[in-house]
Every structure is written in structure tokens, then in C-alpha cells.
Amino acid sequence: MEEGVAILARTPAALDALLRGLPDGWIAAHEGGDTWSPFDVIGHLIHGERADWMPRVRILLEHGEERAFNQFDRFAQFAESEGRTLPSLLDEFAALRQQSLLELAAMRLTDADLDRRGRHPELGVVTLRHLLATWVAHDLDHIVQISRAMARQYSDDVGPWRAYLRIIRETPS
Amino acid sequence: MEEGVAILARTPAALDALLRGLPDGWIAAHEGGDTWSPFDVIGHLIHGERADWMPRVRILLEHGEERAFNQFDRFAQFAESEGRTLPSLLDEFAALRQQSLLELAAMRLTDADLDRRGRHPELGVVTLRHLLATWVAHDLDHIVQISRAMARQYSDDVGPWRAYLRIIRETPS
């Protein structure tokens, strides 16, 4: 539990250090098609704080398996982030995450609580432990996505080194 | 050129924000077999600053295609990082990177310089542009590697969400 929170607490600062002040080309960089840019991902993380992680923790603790979690809108950020700047999104993400973790700490969850069960609308029965571990892995997954999207802007520029760079060599799935 | 430097300048702070102070389990986390942990990767990035990136820039500018770059030792960090702590490695990486970028700026490279050619010991002829782009992509590749190694510690803990987490679903290659 503490191990996971250690990551959750660091994600906003890590993304801030990586992204704030970068030229716009990096912020809008994506992997083609409808893949996401760093700008899109930060909006998605904000929506997760508002609508997904702590709301699901509360539903699970209050209603157990009786009430399924709300569906998560994976595309909410496209409307919500419109007209925003990256720095303002980074600030908002950091503030919301801090608030989420304060609320989580105040719950004083025990090991037994982590085995409590809830219901995902598609995946079925899950435990609080699954939900919290997924929150952590989801953060890291999006750090990967942002770094990969930026690196792939240089797929041609790296020339022969392409053969050595796993991040560029592997085509998007 | 400036775009690339913007990433290179941010990598140490981003990794610092992500890793400093994390419990030891995260720092030593790897993906099985002889894959690397965050601790290993920071040592590798340090070795790159000392032995790879700017030394290769200098060889290319001084000797062109006449002299191949030195081989890069991908395993140097296992001896060099022994007995070190992660905070001291993070400090060293930040200091070395800052020094590299000061040196690079002092070269006042032009667009024409970026087309100058050198020789990689295995890949053959490469340009300065290729070398600098690879430096950037290599940073991002290792941010991906660190985030992926950490996320995969939760491969089981996420339970049914495994199906939704690309970072965990995809097995290491």
C-alpha cells in the first residue's frame, strides 16, 4: 500500500519535470492515427482523478459488489482539455492527485480492507487491492506512452541507430 | 537541435522526481532474467555521459569518417555502480548531463555541422544529426524501460485489470 502510494505521489512531479516548458511540437506529438499526445494523456490523468480512482474506491467501500463502478470515459479529455494550456493541466493534475492521496490516507485502510470486493462494469468482481495496484500501473503505463510518443518523432532522425532503439524499432500495436 | 536539447535537459529532473526516495523494492525492480532495474539504468546513463555521447560528438567533429567511435560498454554500470546509492547516482547523472549540454552549446553547431559524418564501429557511416537524435531517443527509451520494469511488479496485483494494461499485458521481448 505504502509502496504504491510512493509512485502515485511522484507521478505529477515526474511528468512536470519531463514536459513543462517543452516546445509545442513535443506536447502535441503522437504515434499516428488516433493515438494520444502528452497533452491528451495529462487530460486523461486529470479525468481519472475526478471520475475514476477515488470515486471507485468510495463505491467499493460503500456498496461492495452490489453496485458496479461507473463506466470510465476514455475520451473525456478531448472536450475537457480544449483551450487549456499544458502548464495549467499539469497544475490541475498535481492538485487533484494530492487531494486524492490525502483522502486515501484519511481512510486508514487495513490489509483486510484491501481484500474487500467491488464490481467492475466489464471485468466483474475485483478487490480494492486490484484497484489500487491498477492505479499505480496505469500511471506508469502513461509515462511509457508519453515517452514512446515523443521518441517516435525521431524514428527517421536516428538513422542507422534505429536498429538499436527498441522504442523506435517496435511498431505501435 | 534546440528541440532535442529541451528533452536532454529535462531527463535528469524527470528521473529524479520519479525515483528519489522510493522504497528499495522499486529501485531494484527488474523484468526477470538479466533485465535492468532503475538503479542499473541510471548507472548506464552515467556511463553514457562519460564515455559515449559527447566523446562521440568530439570524435566525429575531429576525425570524421576516419576514426570509428569507441565501442560502448553496455555493462559498465554493473561494476561502476557497485556500493553506490541511488541518490548519489541521480546527482552524478544530473551534474554530468549539465556539463555535457554546456559543452554542446559552446560548440555553436550549425545546420551544416549536423550533416557532418562519422563512423560507428558496427553501424557504419552516421551523421551528427543521427547521433544527437539518438541521444534524445535513448533517454526516452530508458524512461520507458524504468516505468515498464516498475509497472510489471504489479502484474499479478492488478487482477482482472491486466487485460486493460498494455504495459503488463505485453510480455517482455
Side-chain angles (χ1 to χ4, degrees):
Chain A
M1 174 86 189
E2 277 167 30
E3 269 188 13
V5 168
I7 300 284
L8 294 176
R10 281 166 174 76
T11 304
L15 290 173
D16 197 288
L18 184 63
L19 299 175
R20 189 181 294 259
L22 278 184
D24 290 346
W26 288 121
I27 302 308
H30 61 79
E31 302 169 70
D34 55 2
T35 60
W36 295 359
S37 68
F39 185 84
D40 298 331
V41 172
I42 305 300
H44 169 72
L45 292 171
I46 287 172
H47 187 73
E49 295 306 301
R50 288 200 190 285
D52 191 17
W53 304 110
M54 286 306 295
R56 287 180 166 191
V57 169
R58 285 191 296 267
I59 291 171
L60 183 148
L61 291 174
E62 287 168 28
H63 303 282
E65 298 175 47
E66 299 294 312
R67 181 177 151 195
F69 307 145
N70 298 337
Q71 293 276 356
F72 185 71
D73 181 357
R74 288 186 64 255
F75 303 99
Q77 68 274 12
F78 294 108
E80 290 173 1
S81 297
E82 214 176 307
R84 301 282 302 274
T85 65
L86 184 78
S88 93
L89 293 181
L90 288 167
D91 289 341
E92 183 176 0
F93 175 49
L96 289 170
R97 174 58 60 88
Q98 188 177 24
Q99 193 178 318
S100 296
L101 295 182
L102 283 171
E103 194 184 340
L104 185 67
M107 289 177 170
R108 299 177 181 278
L109 297 171
T110 63
D111 258 9
D113 288 329
L114 296 181
D115 291 327
R116 290 173 67 176
R117 294 146 69 106
R119 182 173 300 279
H120 186 282
E122 284 146 13
L123 298 171
V125 174
V126 293
T127 66
L128 182 54
R129 190 185 310 275
H130 295 154
L131 175 57
L132 296 176
T134 299
W135 192 0
V136 174
H138 178 269
D139 269 19
L140 294 167
D141 204 357
H142 284 298
I143 295 175
V144 165
Q145 182 183 27
I146 284 173
S147 307
R148 192 182 60 221
M150 294 199 296
R152 285 184 172 157
Q153 306 310 303
Y154 278 6
S155 294
D156 295 329
D157 297 302
V158 299
W161 265 288
R162 182 184 178 95
Y164 289 179
L165 290 162
R166 175 172 168 177
I167 201 172
I168 285 175
R169 202 176 58 229
E170 292 176 5
T171 49
S173 64
Chain B
M1 174 88 189
E2 276 167 33
E3 269 188 12
V5 168
I7 300 284
L8 295 175
R10 282 166 173 75
T11 304
L15 290 173
D16 198 288
L18 184 63
L19 299 175
R20 190 181 294 259
L22 278 184
D24 290 345
W26 288 121
I27 302 308
H30 61 79
E31 301 170 70
D34 55 2
T35 60
W36 295 359
S37 67
F39 184 85
D40 298 331
V41 173
I42 305 300
H44 169 73
L45 292 170
I46 287 172
H47 187 73
E49 295 305 301
R50 288 200 189 285
D52 191 16
W53 305 110
M54 286 306 296
R56 287 180 166 191
V57 169
R58 285 191 296 266
I59 290 171
L60 184 150
L61 292 174
E62 288 169 28
H63 303 283
E65 299 175 46
E66 299 294 313
R67 182 179 150 193
F69 306 145
N70 298 336
Q71 293 275 357
F72 185 70
D73 181 356
R74 289 186 63 255
F75 303 99
Q77 68 274 13
F78 294 108
E80 289 173 2
S81 297
E82 214 175 306
R84 301 283 302 275
T85 65
L86 183 79
S88 94
L89 293 180
L90 289 167
D91 289 341
E92 184 175 1
F93 175 49
L96 289 171
R97 173 59 59 88
Q98 188 178 25
Q99 193 178 316
S100 296
L101 294 182
L102 283 171
E103 196 184 339
L104 185 68
M107 289 177 169
R108 300 176 179 280
L109 298 170
T110 64
D111 257 10
D113 287 328
L114 296 181
D115 291 327
R116 290 174 66 177
R117 293 146 68 106
R119 183 173 299 279
H120 186 283
E122 284 147 13
L123 298 171
V125 173
V126 293
T127 67
L128 182 54
R129 191 185 309 275
H130 294 155
L131 176 57
L132 296 176
T134 300
W135 192 359
V136 174
H138 179 269
D139 269 19
L140 294 166
D141 203 357
H142 284 298
I143 295 175
V144 166
Q145 181 183 26
I146 284 173
S147 307
R148 193 183 59 222
M150 293 199 296
R152 285 184 172 158
Q153 305 311 302
Y154 279 5
S155 294
D156 295 328
D157 296 304
V158 299
W161 266 289
R162 182 184 178 96
Y164 288 179
L165 289 161
R166 175 173 168 177
I167 201 172
I168 285 176
R169 201 177 58 230
E170 293 176 4
T171 49
S173 63

PDB file of all heavy atoms in Angstrom, chain B residues 5 13 18 20 31 34 38 53 96 101 103 105 112 115 127 135 139 149 158 168:
ATOM      1  N   VAL B   5      17.615  19.206 -27.402  1.00  0.00           N
ATOM      2  CA  VAL B   5      18.266  19.617 -26.150  1.00  0.00           C
ATOM      3  C   VAL B   5      17.224  19.840 -25.049  1.00  0.00           C
ATOM      4  O   VAL B   5      17.492  19.592 -23.869  1.00  0.00           O
ATOM      5  CB  VAL B   5      19.137  20.874 -26.379  1.00  0.00           C
ATOM      6  CG1 VAL B   5      19.583  21.475 -25.052  1.00  0.00           C
ATOM      7  CG2 VAL B   5      20.360  20.508 -27.227  1.00  0.00           C
ATOM      8  N   ALA B  13      15.998  15.620 -14.192  1.00  0.00           N
ATOM      9  CA  ALA B  13      14.990  16.052 -13.214  1.00  0.00           C
ATOM     10  C   ALA B  13      13.772  15.141 -13.236  1.00  0.00           C
ATOM     11  O   ALA B  13      13.165  14.863 -12.195  1.00  0.00           O
ATOM     12  CB  ALA B  13      14.575  17.496 -13.476  1.00  0.00           C
ATOM     13  N   LEU B  18      10.808  10.974 -10.318  1.00  0.00           N
ATOM     14  CA  LEU B  18      10.158   9.659 -10.326  1.00  0.00           C
ATOM     15  C   LEU B  18      10.768   8.716  -9.292  1.00  0.00           C
ATOM     16  O   LEU B  18      10.047   7.920  -8.678  1.00  0.00           O
ATOM     17  CB  LEU B  18      10.278   9.045 -11.728  1.00  0.00           C
ATOM     18  CG  LEU B  18       9.585   7.702 -11.969  1.00  0.00           C
ATOM     19  CD1 LEU B  18       8.074   7.831 -11.791  1.00  0.00           C
ATOM     20  CD2 LEU B  18       9.901   7.175 -13.368  1.00  0.00           C
ATOM     21  N   ARG B  20      13.732   9.306  -6.764  1.00  0.00           N
ATOM     22  CA  ARG B  20      14.411   9.610  -5.495  1.00  0.00           C
ATOM     23  C   ARG B  20      13.485   9.364  -4.306  1.00  0.00           C
ATOM     24  O   ARG B  20      12.363   9.833  -4.291  1.00  0.00           O
ATOM     25  CB  ARG B  20      14.908  11.064  -5.471  1.00  0.00           C
ATOM     26  CG  ARG B  20      15.822  11.356  -4.277  1.00  0.00           C
ATOM     27  CD  ARG B  20      16.286  12.797  -4.267  1.00  0.00           C
ATOM     28  NE  ARG B  20      17.152  13.119  -5.382  1.00  0.00           N
ATOM     29  CZ  ARG B  20      18.491  13.215  -5.313  1.00  0.00           C
ATOM     30  NH1 ARG B  20      19.096  13.011  -4.163  1.00  0.00           N
ATOM     31  NH2 ARG B  20      19.181  13.520  -6.383  1.00  0.00           N
ATOM     32  N   GLU B  31      12.697  -6.892 -14.851  1.00  0.00           N
ATOM     33  CA  GLU B  31      11.688  -7.663 -15.578  1.00  0.00           C
ATOM     34  C   GLU B  31      12.079  -9.128 -15.738  1.00  0.00           C
ATOM     35  O   GLU B  31      11.647  -9.796 -16.663  1.00  0.00           O
ATOM     36  CB  GLU B  31      11.432  -7.019 -16.948  1.00  0.00           C
ATOM     37  CG  GLU B  31      10.956  -5.586 -16.839  1.00  0.00           C
ATOM     38  CD  GLU B  31      10.932  -4.880 -18.195  1.00  0.00           C
ATOM     39  OE1 GLU B  31      10.091  -5.230 -19.030  1.00  0.00           O
ATOM     40  OE2 GLU B  31      11.778  -3.976 -18.402  1.00  0.00           O
ATOM     41  N   ASP B  34      18.179 -11.175 -17.057  1.00  0.00           N
ATOM     42  CA  ASP B  34      19.229 -10.156 -16.875  1.00  0.00           C
ATOM     43  C   ASP B  34      18.743  -8.768 -17.302  1.00  0.00           C
ATOM     44  O   ASP B  34      19.531  -7.928 -17.738  1.00  0.00           O
ATOM     45  CB  ASP B  34      20.505 -10.561 -17.629  1.00  0.00           C
ATOM     46  CG  ASP B  34      20.220 -10.826 -19.102  1.00  0.00           C
ATOM     47  OD1 ASP B  34      19.045 -10.662 -19.514  1.00  0.00           O
ATOM     48  OD2 ASP B  34      21.155 -11.179 -19.832  1.00  0.00           O
ATOM     49  N   PRO B  38      15.765   0.143 -12.329  1.00  0.00           N
ATOM     50  CA  PRO B  38      16.021   1.593 -12.358  1.00  0.00           C
ATOM     51  C   PRO B  38      17.443   1.939 -11.911  1.00  0.00           C
ATOM     52  O   PRO B  38      18.093   2.798 -12.518  1.00  0.00           O
ATOM     53  CB  PRO B  38      14.969   2.142 -11.379  1.00  0.00           C
ATOM     54  CG  PRO B  38      13.826   1.175 -11.505  1.00  0.00           C
ATOM     55  CD  PRO B  38      14.483  -0.171 -11.674  1.00  0.00           C
ATOM     56  N   TRP B  53      28.219   9.843 -25.417  1.00  0.00           N
ATOM     57  CA  TRP B  53      27.594  10.881 -26.233  1.00  0.00           C
ATOM     58  C   TRP B  53      28.546  11.997 -26.631  1.00  0.00           C
ATOM     59  O   TRP B  53      28.852  12.167 -27.808  1.00  0.00           O
ATOM     60  CB  TRP B  53      26.334  11.405 -25.538  1.00  0.00           C
ATOM     61  CG  TRP B  53      25.390  10.290 -25.227  1.00  0.00           C
ATOM     62  CD1 TRP B  53      25.077   9.796 -23.998  1.00  0.00           C
ATOM     63  CD2 TRP B  53      24.680   9.465 -26.168  1.00  0.00           C
ATOM     64  NE1 TRP B  53      24.203   8.731 -24.114  1.00  0.00           N
ATOM     65  CE2 TRP B  53      23.945   8.506 -25.435  1.00  0.00           C
ATOM     66  CE3 TRP B  53      24.583   9.443 -27.564  1.00  0.00           C
ATOM     67  CZ2 TRP B  53      23.135   7.550 -26.037  1.00  0.00           C
ATOM     68  CZ3 TRP B  53      23.771   8.502 -28.179  1.00  0.00           C
ATOM     69  CH2 TRP B  53      23.066   7.567 -27.419  1.00  0.00           C
ATOM     70  N   LEU B  96      26.673  15.514 -14.680  1.00  0.00           N
ATOM     71  CA  LEU B  96      27.344  15.165 -15.938  1.00  0.00           C
ATOM     72  C   LEU B  96      26.539  15.638 -17.143  1.00  0.00           C
ATOM     73  O   LEU B  96      27.091  16.139 -18.123  1.00  0.00           O
ATOM     74  CB  LEU B  96      27.553  13.647 -16.031  1.00  0.00           C
ATOM     75  CG  LEU B  96      28.609  13.061 -15.089  1.00  0.00           C
ATOM     76  CD1 LEU B  96      28.550  11.532 -15.123  1.00  0.00           C
ATOM     77  CD2 LEU B  96      30.010  13.544 -15.469  1.00  0.00           C
ATOM     78  N   LEU B 101      25.761  19.336 -21.775  1.00  0.00           N
ATOM     79  CA  LEU B 101      24.963  20.292 -22.547  1.00  0.00           C
ATOM     80  C   LEU B 101      25.645  21.658 -22.622  1.00  0.00           C
ATOM     81  O   LEU B 101      25.497  22.370 -23.620  1.00  0.00           O
ATOM     82  CB  LEU B 101      23.543  20.401 -21.968  1.00  0.00           C
ATOM     83  CG  LEU B 101      22.709  19.115 -22.096  1.00  0.00           C
ATOM     84  CD1 LEU B 101      21.298  19.332 -21.551  1.00  0.00           C
ATOM     85  CD2 LEU B 101      22.648  18.606 -23.537  1.00  0.00           C
ATOM     86  N   GLU B 103      28.881  21.970 -22.790  1.00  0.00           N
ATOM     87  CA  GLU B 103      29.913  21.734 -23.798  1.00  0.00           C
ATOM     88  C   GLU B 103      29.301  21.752 -25.214  1.00  0.00           C
ATOM     89  O   GLU B 103      29.855  22.347 -26.139  1.00  0.00           O
ATOM     90  CB  GLU B 103      30.569  20.388 -23.521  1.00  0.00           C
ATOM     91  CG  GLU B 103      31.880  20.176 -24.237  1.00  0.00           C
ATOM     92  CD  GLU B 103      32.439  18.767 -23.994  1.00  0.00           C
ATOM     93  OE1 GLU B 103      32.039  18.125 -22.999  1.00  0.00           O
ATOM     94  OE2 GLU B 103      33.240  18.311 -24.825  1.00  0.00           O
ATOM     95  N   ALA B 105      26.560  23.285 -26.175  1.00  0.00           N
ATOM     96  CA  ALA B 105      26.151  24.659 -26.523  1.00  0.00           C
ATOM     97  C   ALA B 105      27.358  25.480 -26.967  1.00  0.00           C
ATOM     98  O   ALA B 105      27.266  26.292 -27.899  1.00  0.00           O
ATOM     99  CB  ALA B 105      25.453  25.314 -25.333  1.00  0.00           C
ATOM    100  N   ALA B 112      24.640  22.961 -40.986  1.00  0.00           N
ATOM    101  CA  ALA B 112      25.606  22.249 -41.844  1.00  0.00           C
ATOM    102  C   ALA B 112      26.427  21.257 -41.023  1.00  0.00           C
ATOM    103  O   ALA B 112      26.714  20.149 -41.478  1.00  0.00           O
ATOM    104  CB  ALA B 112      26.532  23.257 -42.542  1.00  0.00           C
ATOM    105  N   ASP B 115      25.083  17.744 -40.573  1.00  0.00           N
ATOM    106  CA  ASP B 115      25.240  16.775 -41.661  1.00  0.00           C
ATOM    107  C   ASP B 115      26.643  16.163 -41.715  1.00  0.00           C
ATOM    108  O   ASP B 115      26.912  15.309 -42.562  1.00  0.00           O
ATOM    109  CB  ASP B 115      24.931  17.446 -43.010  1.00  0.00           C
ATOM    110  CG  ASP B 115      23.452  17.785 -43.137  1.00  0.00           C
ATOM    111  OD1 ASP B 115      22.624  17.013 -42.590  1.00  0.00           O
ATOM    112  OD2 ASP B 115      23.122  18.817 -43.745  1.00  0.00           O
ATOM    113  N   THR B 127      25.551  10.449 -39.271  1.00  0.00           N
ATOM    114  CA  THR B 127      25.760  11.906 -39.208  1.00  0.00           C
ATOM    115  C   THR B 127      25.646  12.390 -37.763  1.00  0.00           C
ATOM    116  O   THR B 127      25.137  11.676 -36.887  1.00  0.00           O
ATOM    117  CB  THR B 127      24.710  12.646 -40.051  1.00  0.00           C
ATOM    118  OG1 THR B 127      23.429  12.461 -39.438  1.00  0.00           O
ATOM    119  CG2 THR B 127      24.679  12.152 -41.485  1.00  0.00           C
ATOM    120  N   TRP B 135      20.684  10.247 -29.048  1.00  0.00           N
ATOM    121  CA  TRP B 135      20.874  10.596 -27.628  1.00  0.00           C
ATOM    122  C   TRP B 135      19.505  10.878 -26.986  1.00  0.00           C
ATOM    123  O   TRP B 135      19.191  10.376 -25.901  1.00  0.00           O
ATOM    124  CB  TRP B 135      21.794  11.819 -27.554  1.00  0.00           C
ATOM    125  CG  TRP B 135      22.347  12.184 -26.228  1.00  0.00           C
ATOM    126  CD1 TRP B 135      22.135  11.579 -25.019  1.00  0.00           C
ATOM    127  CD2 TRP B 135      23.240  13.290 -25.977  1.00  0.00           C
ATOM    128  NE1 TRP B 135      22.838  12.234 -24.033  1.00  0.00           N
ATOM    129  CE2 TRP B 135      23.525  13.281 -24.592  1.00  0.00           C
ATOM    130  CE3 TRP B 135      23.814  14.269 -26.777  1.00  0.00           C
ATOM    131  CZ2 TRP B 135      24.360  14.234 -24.002  1.00  0.00           C
ATOM    132  CZ3 TRP B 135      24.639  15.216 -26.196  1.00  0.00           C
ATOM    133  CH2 TRP B 135      24.919  15.198 -24.823  1.00  0.00           C
ATOM    134  N   ASP B 139      17.440   8.466 -24.167  1.00  0.00           N
ATOM    135  CA  ASP B 139      16.896   8.928 -22.885  1.00  0.00           C
ATOM    136  C   ASP B 139      15.458   8.450 -22.707  1.00  0.00           C
ATOM    137  O   ASP B 139      15.101   7.873 -21.681  1.00  0.00           O
ATOM    138  CB  ASP B 139      16.854  10.472 -22.845  1.00  0.00           C
ATOM    139  CG  ASP B 139      18.109  11.111 -22.267  1.00  0.00           C
ATOM    140  OD1 ASP B 139      19.165  10.442 -22.217  1.00  0.00           O
ATOM    141  OD2 ASP B 139      18.038  12.300 -21.880  1.00  0.00           O
ATOM    142  N   ALA B 149       9.502  -1.598 -16.073  1.00  0.00           N
ATOM    143  CA  ALA B 149      10.027  -2.535 -15.068  1.00  0.00           C
ATOM    144  C   ALA B 149       9.266  -2.378 -13.747  1.00  0.00           C
ATOM    145  O   ALA B 149       8.943  -3.370 -13.082  1.00  0.00           O
ATOM    146  CB  ALA B 149      11.519  -2.317 -14.860  1.00  0.00           C
ATOM    147  N   VAL B 158      -2.746  -6.459 -10.099  1.00  0.00           N
ATOM    148  CA  VAL B 158      -3.826  -5.732 -10.780  1.00  0.00           C
ATOM    149  C   VAL B 158      -5.028  -6.620 -11.089  1.00  0.00           C
ATOM    150  O   VAL B 158      -6.084  -6.108 -11.483  1.00  0.00           O
ATOM    151  CB  VAL B 158      -3.342  -5.049 -12.083  1.00  0.00           C
ATOM    152  CG1 VAL B 158      -2.248  -4.027 -11.790  1.00  0.00           C
ATOM    153  CG2 VAL B 158      -2.865  -6.075 -13.106  1.00  0.00           C
ATOM    154  N   ILE B 168       1.453  -4.214 -18.941  1.00  0.00           N
ATOM    155  CA  ILE B 168       1.540  -5.502 -18.242  1.00  0.00           C
ATOM    156  C   ILE B 168       1.153  -6.645 -19.173  1.00  0.00           C
ATOM    157  O   ILE B 168       1.734  -7.725 -19.131  1.00  0.00           O
ATOM    158  CB  ILE B 168       0.639  -5.474 -16.979  1.00  0.00           C
ATOM    159  CG1 ILE B 168       1.328  -4.624 -15.909  1.00  0.00           C
ATOM    160  CG2 ILE B 168       0.349  -6.875 -16.471  1.00  0.00           C
ATOM    161  CD1 ILE B 168       0.527  -4.429 -14.652  1.00  0.00           C
TER     162      ILE B 168
END
